[in-house]
Amino acid sequence: MATSLKKYDLMNQVNARGTFLCSRECIEHLKKGQNPHILNISPPLNMNAVWFKGNVAYTMAKYGMSMCTLGMAEEFKADNVAVNALWPRTAVYTAAMEMIGGGESVADSCRKVEIMADAAYAILIKDSDTYTGHFAIDDEVLSESGITDLDQYAMKPGHSLLPDFFLDVDEPLEDKKEAAKETKNSGLAQTFEIIKGTLNEDLVDDVNAVYAFHLSGNEEGLWWIDLKRGSGSLGQGDPPTGTGDADVTFTMESEDFSKMFSGNLKPTVAFMNGKLKIKGDIVLAMKLEKIMGQMQAKL
């Protein structure tokens, strides 16, 4: 609810109103076309509350586009005008992502814009009289078209990808099985002890951030990791005097924290499913995966 009315109006004018207006002005021309299509870049209508909390104005704007897709597809079906929506599975490295997503440091976790372009082309050459009213996902469209090598669209092939908004992310089955197992390194204190063993000067030089963890559940408490000074340090409570305020604060259940650092819960899955809340610099938050990778090698 912190969104100003000016930003609210801008988002809805560009997204919902813009989609409705452009479609209305073009529809009579489209009816005369040989294979007419309207393709909106908007997500499936997912009513999971996690996609409304904290960004309800933006969600309303994007879902306004999706509602145009749903309504117009049915309204113009008899005219053979196809109306569909396309949405990316992962973050795409656009100018907007470069500006507000953290710049080049987040690029490795994104796909190239070409994946959306190729998926859009695959949709627009379909028969408009039969393919309408779909909420398509870019990689699914390409897979159905026979394109299975998705690494060609990765900014950095093999790197983990950041999921986009509005798509629920389930933990892979194998991760759920591993999470259910009792490991020799279970327990919050033991988890932080293992993390301590991974800290070093190279990691400090690479990360340069202070992290705070607000943990609830069975092992409730506050913890911090300082990767700005020396060879790194950690402890309980608030970050000590001299480290400054935390650059990033993570809020989650203590059990999920241990699962995340042991590799049994992916950070992106935890974040997208509402198990992990992040306050602060998102780019520095993503760097925490470096610690996780080193820690998991010791388990």
Side-chain angles (χ1 to χ4, degrees):
M1 296 303 291
T3 304
S4 68
L5 286 179
K6 182 177 180 180
K7 289 184 177 179
Y8 176 90
D9 288 340
L10 177 62
M11 285 188 287
N12 281 276
Q13 286 170 1
V14 171
N15 289 285
R17 188 176 188 274
T19 298
F20 181 86
L21 176 60
C22 289
S23 300
R24 190 188 69 173
E25 295 301 310
C26 293
I27 195 63
E28 294 303 321
H29 299 285
L30 289 169
K31 288 179 180 179
K32 301 174 184 178
Q34 294 183 348
N35 190 43
H37 283 266
I38 294 174
L39 183 60
N40 297 321
I41 306 303
S42 64
L45 290 166
N46 184 348
M47 293 296 111
N48 188 334
V50 70
W51 303 122
F52 293 84
K53 182 181 179 181
N55 47 263
V56 65
Y58 178 70
T59 299
M60 290 171 66
K62 295 306 293 185
Y63 279 18
M65 297 178 66
S66 300
M67 293 171 72
C68 284
T69 301
L70 188 64
M72 293 180 188
E74 190 65 24
E75 182 175 352
F76 301 118
K77 184 182 293 184
D79 298 302
N80 294 330
V81 177
V83 186
N84 296 289
L86 175 64
W87 194 249
R89 171 90 57 194
T90 70
V92 175
Y93 195 60
T94 60
M97 179 61 75
E98 183 178 6
M99 180 178 67
I100 65 175
E104 295 182 1
S105 56
V106 78
D108 291 349
S109 299
C110 299
R111 282 174 171 162
K112 302 174 184 177
V113 294
E114 283 80 2
I115 191 170
M116 287 291 283
D118 289 354
Y121 176 78
I123 291 174
L124 294 173
I125 61 174
K126 292 180 181 290
D127 291 334
S128 62
D129 58 342
T130 58
Y131 190 84
T132 188
H134 292 271
F135 291 92
I137 306 301
D138 56 357
D139 55 7
E140 292 179 1
V141 172
L142 295 176
S143 178
E144 292 170 1
S145 300
I147 300 176
T148 56
D149 178 19
L150 298 180
D151 276 349
Q152 63 180 301
Y153 297 110
M155 293 293 292
K156 185 176 181 179
H159 197 280
S160 60
L161 295 169
L162 184 66
D164 209 337
F165 291 106
F166 306 117
L167 300 179
D168 292 340
V169 182
D170 293 326
E171 296 177 44
L173 181 59
E174 59 270 22
D175 287 350
K176 291 182 179 180
K177 290 180 179 178
E178 288 297 320
K181 294 180 180 179
E182 181 179 355
T183 66
K184 63 179 180 180
N185 294 312
S186 61
L188 190 60
Q190 287 177 306
T191 298
F192 273 101
E193 190 63 28
I194 297 171
I195 294 174
K196 185 177 181 179
T198 68
L199 305 183
N200 55 66
E201 292 183 0
D202 289 339
L203 194 60
V204 170
D205 291 338
D206 189 20
V207 176
N208 191 32
V210 175
Y211 298 104
F213 301 89
H214 294 185
L215 306 178
S216 57
N218 294 332
E219 297 181 84
E220 181 179 356
L222 305 178
W223 291 77
W224 54 270
I225 299 177
D226 179 9
L227 290 175
K228 275 189 174 179
R229 295 159 184 77
S231 57
S233 59
L234 59 77
Q236 285 186 274
D238 292 318
T241 303
T243 61
D245 295 333
D247 297 290
V248 187
T249 299
F250 299 89
T251 302
M252 64 191 310
E253 294 277 343
S254 58
E255 183 180 1
D256 289 331
F257 174 88
S258 295
K259 288 180 181 178
M260 191 171 71
F261 270 84
S262 63
N264 293 322
L265 176 61
K266 297 183 185 300
T268 49
V269 172
F271 178 74
M272 300 302 278
N273 285 347
K275 294 182 177 181
L276 168 63
K277 296 180 181 179
I278 300 174
K279 180 181 179 182
D281 191 318
I282 190 65
V283 176
L284 291 178
M286 294 175 66
K287 285 188 175 183
L288 193 63
E289 290 196 44
K290 293 181 180 292
I291 305 176
M292 297 180 193
Q294 293 186 19
M295 175 179 167
Q296 290 157 22
K298 294 190 175 187
L299 293 176

